[in-house]
Amino acid sequence: MSETTPNSSAPNWPAIAAVLGVLFVTCALVYGLTQNATLTVAGAIGAGMSLLIGWWLGADATNSLVASQNPMGQHMSRKSAVEEGEQGRDEAASLVRDAVRFARAAIEATPNPVLIVDSAGRLVGTNQAARDRFSMDAGQVRFSAVIRRPNLVDAVSDVFKTGATRTLSIESRVPVDRYERVSIAAFEADEERFVLLSIQDETEARMSERMRADFLANASHELRTPLAGIIGFIETLRGPARDDAVARDRFLEIMHLQADRMSRLISDLLSLSRIELNEHVAPTARSDFAAAVQEIVESLPPDKQQRIQFKAGDDPLWVIGDWDEIQQIAANLIDNALKYGGPQSDVRIILSAWLDRESALKSAMREWEGASRLPLTSPEVDRDRLYCTLRVEDAGPGIARQHLPRLSERFYRVEETATGKSGTGLGLAIVKHIVNRHRGGLVVESEQGRGTAFSVYLPQPLELGPVRTMAETQAG
Ligand code: ADP
């Protein structure tokens, strides 16, 4: 430990004067209160002794701390006691500050969300990952106001009481499925107990597990029927229809359709699984929704293009989204409108931009007065967000009200509209999952005899908004 001897230095006159001053004041006080000379002398000696011992211990303790951690400690021991005491205290405080700064920086750099709670339930530390995960400000103070999960709050108070480390799995469904593992551990600092929560995102692992299981279950179930059909036709062609040229051509045509359906099923199932796997990771790219829709329309055969009413404006309509995925939304909705609207029905495509949530919903599904309407998926409320809406309307037979809630369920097909039309029943499910990943909304509005409209609305990047464009125009 330290070789410091605070009393080996030269007399410290200011300290001695202070001690004598305190002795004098103590004598006066004790005599004034007790009028007793013996008590006065005893009180004065006691006060003086404790002052001296306190002063000596304080200097020694601080110097010991500094000397034990700092190679400069030995050099310091040759200085005067008071100087050493003050400098030691300063250096000790600066060491503590450095340690705190280091710990803060390390926690801030941790990629997993980390939260530190004190015994009064206050959040005394969070890193950027935690602030992003729980959309909170650095100034948020109550732990229970940030994490409103009774089992987690209970686990934290349990760890406070017992000091034993715990791990807990938590699942969230809104805005998208998310699986997390929380490790909760207690630690002591400054004679106080704190609890540290570290959160590990396990969504990807859980989703890929679920994806594999779903894919196998769906593929084997859905492929069984067309496969059985193909096997049946092969057997007929090898047996009774061996020499029947007309039957052979007809059967080959049906087998071709079945094989086509199987290949579409596999590709739709694969896209659905891929999107579900990434659903918890919102896209960050910027894409021009109008250009994406335009490209899809132009890729259609000319007879279909003629049925489409769509005119993209000159300005880009930016959304926060992946180009390929927003094109898939447009392709699936336009394909359905052309298919289920019937050969005579025109398809109208309307894009509206920079709408708040209320206006986006209104423009998406409040166009036809007598229609039934339903949101199939909605984003979390965020007042600062603005949305771009794509509405695809057909003038087909419409969909009866009771079917609306089940649209976008995988493999759900409405018999009245889907009979005789090829399809996998996965198109709207794919649209819904892409929209969820983009933190947007999907709604349907339909009136029998009038038509059906599916709309999606996706968040727009405010930094590319019309306000900025105007400002830039003025500046230019
Ligand atoms: P698919 O078209 O492959 O069957 P979807 O998921 O795209 O699968 O659509 C599910 C069902 O919803 C369709 O089978 C059809 O019954 C109904 N549907 C979708 N779009 C329309 C539309 N525009 N008009 C009428 N019915 C529709």
Side-chain angles (χ1 to χ4, degrees):
M1 284 288 278
S2 156
E3 293 168 18
T4 317
T5 46
N7 19 11
S8 68
S9 52
N12 186 336
W13 295 114
I16 292 169
V19 172
L20 289 175
V22 172
L23 282 178
F24 177 74
V25 172
T26 311
C27 286
L29 269 175
V30 177
Y31 190 73
L33 286 171
T34 61
Q35 301 287 310
N36 182 324
T38 319
L39 268 181
T40 304
V41 173
I45 291 171
M49 289 292 287
S50 48
L51 208 75
L52 277 169
I53 289 168
W55 168 67
W56 188 88
L57 274 180
D60 190 42
T62 315
N63 286 339
S64 304
L65 177 66
V66 174
S68 66
Q69 298 185 20
N70 185 348
M72 293 296 283
Q74 302 224 342
H75 160 76
M76 281 185 59
S77 67
R78 286 191 292 274
K79 293 188 176 176
S80 79
V82 170
E83 250 182 76
E84 272 175 6
E86 282 171 1
Q87 191 168 341
R89 263 191 291 275
D90 284 353
E91 294 204 14
S94 127
L95 272 174
V96 170
R97 274 198 301 276
D98 283 353
V100 169
R101 257 200 299 274
F102 178 80
R104 269 185 203 286
I107 288 174
E108 192 68 29
T110 308
N112 290 351
V114 171
L115 304 116
I116 300 172
V117 187
D118 73 2
S119 55
R122 279 183 305 237
L123 269 177
V124 289
T126 53
N127 64 354
Q128 190 58 47
R131 294 193 288 279
D132 290 345
R133 165 67 185 87
F134 298 104
S135 319
M136 60 179 165
D137 310 325
Q140 201 119 16
V141 282
R142 303 290 320 165
F143 165 68
S144 53
V146 172
I147 299 185
R148 297 165 186 276
R149 287 176 175 273
N151 59 341
L152 199 53
V153 175
D154 288 350
V156 167
S157 51
D158 206 42
V159 172
F160 260 119
K161 274 187 226 129
T162 61
T165 302
R166 283 189 58 177
T167 52
L168 211 72
S169 291
I170 55 173
E171 294 183 17
S172 353
R173 297 268 166 261
V174 182
V176 288
D177 288 0
R178 194 195 280 272
Y179 302 90
E180 289 164 313
R181 193 164 191 75
V182 189
S183 306
I184 314 165
F187 65 94
E188 315 278 334
D190 233 2
E191 288 175 17
E192 203 189 321
R193 180 169 280 183
F194 295 89
V195 160
L196 184 138
L197 294 95
S198 160
I199 301 173
Q200 174 87 30
D201 192 347
E202 294 190 329
T203 312
E204 202 158 326
R206 291 282 288 271
M207 289 303 265
S208 64
E209 210 174 279
R210 201 173 84 185
M211 184 199 100
R212 262 195 295 273
D214 283 359
F215 183 86
L216 277 178
N218 289 327
S220 50
H221 181 257
E222 292 300 314
L223 293 178
R224 196 171 289 147
T225 315
L227 198 59
I230 291 176
I231 292 169
F233 286 121
I234 292 174
E235 277 165 10
T236 316
L237 285 173
R238 292 168 80 188
R242 179 188 290 268
D243 301 316
D244 185 341
V246 180
R248 192 173 56 220
D249 282 352
R250 197 160 51 87
F251 290 165
L252 279 173
E253 177 62 27
I254 300 172
M255 284 163 71
H256 185 239
L257 287 176
Q258 300 282 39
D260 239 20
R261 179 174 150 70
M262 285 166 63
S263 124
R264 256 182 298 124
L265 256 171
I266 290 176
S267 99
D268 279 2
L269 274 172
L270 279 175
S271 351
L272 190 58
S273 302
R274 235 188 343 261
I275 297 157
E276 276 186 305
L277 197 61
N278 277 331
E279 207 169 317
H280 65 293
V281 186
T284 50
R286 275 46 179 157
S287 303
D288 178 357
F289 209 0
V293 174
Q294 178 84 37
E295 214 176 271
I296 292 296
V297 172
E298 282 168 4
S299 69
L300 292 168
D303 60 320
K304 290 191 170 160
Q305 272 190 51
Q306 276 164 16
R307 290 173 49 200
I308 293 180
Q309 299 170 19
F310 172 63
K311 177 137 180 35
D314 295 332
D315 292 332
L317 292 184
W318 296 111
V319 290
I320 306 172
D322 280 352
W323 177 260
D324 289 347
E325 291 192 1
I326 63 172
Q327 279 209 321
Q328 184 146 26
I329 293 177
N332 288 10
L333 295 186
I334 295 170
D335 187 49
N336 277 356
L338 289 165
K339 188 163 61 176
Y340 300 112
Q344 306 311 322
S345 147
D346 275 354
V347 170
R348 224 156 69 94
I349 301 174
I350 308 134
L351 275 165
S352 328
W354 309 112
L355 307 168
D356 61 25
R357 195 170 185 270
E358 276 305 298
S359 319
L361 262 174
K362 204 160 163 253
S363 99
M365 64 171 195
R366 296 217 173 266
E367 289 289 318
W368 298 336
E369 219 171 277
S372 308
R373 50 185 70 88
L374 192 77
L376 297 171
T377 186
S378 310
E380 271 186 330
V381 177
D382 182 347
R383 290 182 204 296
D384 299 330
R385 276 247 164 270
L386 292 179
Y387 295 92
C388 181
T389 306
L390 165 73
R391 181 176 162 99
V392 181
E393 281 180 17
D394 64 55
I399 306 170
R401 184 193 201 96
Q402 70 270 20
H403 295 293
L404 299 189
R406 298 203 58 192
L407 294 171
S408 84
E409 255 176 44
R410 53 175 74 190
F411 302 118
Y412 186 76
R413 305 195 77 205
V414 181
E415 226 160 86
E416 299 97 275
T417 57
T419 319
K421 310 267 184 349
S422 64
T424 58
L426 292 171
L428 289 176
I430 290 174
V431 169
K432 179 168 132 178
H433 285 285
I434 296 178
V435 166
N436 276 344
R437 178 175 177 235
H438 283 67
R439 313 296 187 249
L442 166 67
V443 296
V444 57
E445 182 171 32
S446 189
E447 189 175 338
Q448 285 188 288
R450 175 169 198 166
T452 301
F454 282 92
S455 307
V456 299
Y457 52 100
L458 301 182
Q460 297 198 266
L462 298 181
E463 76 280 5
L464 296 178
V467 178
R468 159 96 187 256
T469 313
M470 259 165 63
E472 276 175 351
T473 314
Q474 280 161 10

